[in-house]
Amino acid sequence: GARGMSAFTRDEMMTIAAARMLWDGCVCFVGIGLPSAACNLARLTHAPDLVLIYESGTIGTRPTVLPLSIGDGELAETAACVVPLPEIFSYYLQGGRVDVGFLSAAQIDRYGNLNSTVIGPYGKPSTRLPGSGGAPEIAAHAKQTFVVMKASPRAFVRALDFRTSAGYLTGHGERSCGSARGGGPKAVVTDFGILKPLPASDELALAGLFPETSIEQARAAVGWPLALFDSIETIAPPAAGELETLRALHARTGAAHRRTVALPGERTP
């Protein structure tokens, strides 16, 4: 049935909380999926001049619907410019011009390292994931990275099956000793709240909780003993405008993608 504007799902709260972390004029390198929804919501609400870059070479893209992939024509059609993929990495990302890399993954560990390669042993994996794409470079070179992932003990793990993208490595300042110029994962937005790295250890700890979630629920969703910040922020629920804009974006996206994929016996317009 129809939900009132006061009611919202955890997925909606997660996307809105992630969107709020972006600022107007921010240059953001976007992953497909949850990051894409959060970044486009930010652009449609409080950050109209957010500069979105996708790995396919689209800069300043302003899609009206969420892209199916980085190769979605919607991204190129609405971009300020499209440049060759090597230029995105060399001149923009490695050149230090990307403020935020927005990533997701299949697995994350307590130091913000990400796995998007395989589940199980590399030689005989139980699941082969989409692979690294540009994530290792984004994680290395963006001034800071934000991660948005639904939390479960299968996803938030004690040990990754494969380390695709570096967060804080083994913590305690190890990342800062290496050659990666970016600042690493400054926030992980889950469907219960927000994790941030503790200053001394770099370990991800609970920094903020969503409405109607508890520390117990947060701990149950994470596969390592979850540390807590001294004071845990209570994150404001979605505003009506945020929810309306997000739902309209998803509705437009669903309608557009239904049009482009014909079912058997159906003609596309």
Side-chain angles (χ1 to χ4, degrees):
R3 292 191 299 270
M5 268 305 160
S6 60
F8 54 90
T9 67
R10 279 183 158 205
D11 282 17
E12 287 172 334
M13 182 73 240
M14 172 172 62
T15 306
I16 288 165
R20 287 173 181 166
M21 297 169 72
L22 297 167
W23 61 95
D24 208 21
C26 166
V27 177
C28 185
F29 204 139
V30 193
I32 290 294
L34 291 170
S36 197
C39 292
N40 281 288
L41 176 61
R43 189 177 58 79
L44 293 167
T45 51
H46 65 276
D49 293 323
L50 186 64
V51 179
L52 298 186
I53 297 180
Y54 285 80
E55 199 179 313
S56 44
T58 54
I59 295 174
T61 184
R62 308 178 72 82
T64 55
V65 301
L66 296 176
L68 285 165
S69 75
I70 58 167
D72 197 320
E74 173 80 10
L75 294 177
E77 284 162 22
T78 62
C81 61
V82 182
V83 305
L85 187 142
E87 289 188 16
I88 284 284
F89 287 96
S90 55
Y91 300 151
Y92 291 84
L93 183 62
Q94 291 166 4
R97 293 179 170 89
V98 172
D99 296 316
V100 171
F102 226 122
L103 298 173
S104 196
Q107 287 181 335
I108 186 170
D109 69 13
R110 71 176 75 197
Y111 296 114
N113 303 298
L114 303 176
N115 172 20
S116 52
T117 304
V118 292
I119 302 295
Y122 186 76
K124 292 195 97 151
S126 58
T127 305
R128 190 171 287 288
L129 300 168
S132 66
E137 283 76 20
I138 295 168
H141 294 284
K143 288 179 190 167
Q144 58 178 329
T145 51
F146 298 148
V147 180
V148 58
M149 283 174 65
K150 291 173 80 160
S152 74
R154 286 178 60 195
F156 285 62
V157 294
R158 283 175 184 262
L160 300 178
D161 291 351
F162 187 93
R163 190 161 76 193
T164 311
S165 304
Y168 294 108
L169 303 171
T170 59
H172 308 281
E174 189 191 347
R175 180 188 173 99
S176 57
C177 299
S179 59
R181 284 175 297 189
K186 297 300 184 192
V188 179
V189 184
T190 72
D191 48 355
F192 61 73
I194 296 176
L195 308 182
K196 292 184 176 175
L198 290 165
S201 65
D202 299 326
E203 181 176 338
L204 295 172
L206 185 63
L209 276 174
F210 294 153
E212 295 162 38
T213 61
S214 66
I215 290 172
E216 293 70 38
Q217 286 174 329
R219 286 188 153 145
V222 171
W224 66 79
L226 183 62
L228 311 176
F229 273 82
D230 290 341
S231 67
I232 294 172
E233 181 191 358
T234 302
I235 292 156
E242 290 173 318
L243 268 181
E244 286 165 16
T245 306
L246 177 59
R247 289 175 182 172
L249 175 63
H250 280 308
R252 283 197 304 276
T253 300
H257 293 168
R258 278 194 295 278
R259 276 203 306 277
T260 56
V261 182
L263 296 169
E266 180 185 272
R267 288 203 309 272
T268 48

